[in-house]
């Protein structure tokens, strides 16, 4: 069999993988790790038109789908926003998503990322 060549990862892919790992650490219960199913969340697929989760974001990084940091942050905000649309404010999912969004936006702000440029390029 032809061994799959270990593809060279771009600087952007290395940055996004680093950021994704940092975001996943903020979700220890893994509530955002996998796609939400209608089985665990009744009616989810008819309420949320564009689902997003960390495993899908990981796949997009590996497949070179993201050509900019903002495309990655857009998917991250979608992940959080979906949870704040489907779930009521008093639920653990809504509260976890709100906290995750705040933490993630702060972590990916330009002044936080500038020091990484040299390390990850
Ligand atoms: C991948 O999705 C999940 C995986 C596991 C769990 C889970 O372990 N829930 C237990 C923690 C308290 C019950 C919940 C979820 C889950 C995420 C979500 C989101 C993200 O909206 N959700 C909404 C309603 C019900 N369950 C969920």
């Amino acid at each position: 069999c032809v061994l799959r060549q270990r593809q060279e990862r771009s600087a952007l892919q290395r940055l996004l993988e680093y950021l994704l790992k940092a975001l996943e650490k903020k979700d220890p219960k893994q509530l955002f790790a996998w796609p939400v199913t209608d089985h665990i969340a009744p009616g989810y697929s008819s309420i949320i038109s564009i689902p997003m989760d960390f495993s899908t974001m990981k796949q997009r990084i590996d497949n070179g789908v993201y050509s900019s940091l903002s495309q990655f942050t857009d998917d991250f905000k979608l992940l959080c926003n979906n949870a704040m649309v489907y779930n009521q404010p008093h639920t653990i999912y809504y509260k976890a998503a709100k906290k995750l969004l705040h933490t993630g936006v702060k972590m990916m702000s330009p002044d936080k990322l500038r020091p990484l440029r040299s390390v990850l390029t």
Side-chain angles (χ1 to χ4, degrees):
C1 68
V2 177
L3 281 179
R4 198 169 116 81
Q5 288 291 332
R6 206 178 109 68
Q7 280 156 350
E8 277 309 303
R9 292 180 313 154
S10 69
L12 178 65
Q13 282 174 306
R14 288 197 300 275
L15 170 65
L16 299 185
E17 289 197 355
Y18 168 84
L19 292 173
L20 183 62
K21 281 198 178 81
L23 293 170
E24 287 171 327
K25 281 195 194 109
K26 305 288 180 186
D27 174 32
K29 289 198 184 87
Q30 295 205 308
L31 306 179
F32 305 101
W34 310 106
V36 182
T37 61
D38 283 349
H39 177 65
I40 59 170
Y44 193 85
S45 58
S46 46
I47 295 167
I48 298 300
S49 51
I50 313 175
M52 190 46 62
D53 67 283
F54 285 143
S55 72
T56 302
M57 292 176 70
K58 169 78 172 117
Q59 215 166 40
R60 290 186 174 185
I61 296 171
D62 294 347
N63 298 344
V65 168
Y66 296 123
S67 55
S68 68
L69 173 63
S70 59
Q71 287 173 350
F72 175 83
T73 48
D74 286 351
D75 273 354
F76 170 68
K77 288 173 186 169
L78 177 65
L79 178 153
C80 297
N81 195 56
N82 284 346
M84 295 167 77
V85 165
Y86 174 80
N87 300 284
Q88 300 300 313
H90 63 83
T91 60
I92 61 162
Y93 307 112
Y94 183 103
K95 291 172 183 168
K98 190 172 178 190
K99 190 161 177 247
L100 182 66
L101 178 64
H102 183 75
T103 310
V105 166
K106 251 188 346 184
M107 182 174 68
M108 295 188 279
S109 63
D111 63 312
K112 279 283 189 324
L113 292 180
R114 202 165 295 113
L116 286 175
R117 285 185 75 83
S118 53
V119 173
L120 291 161
T121 43

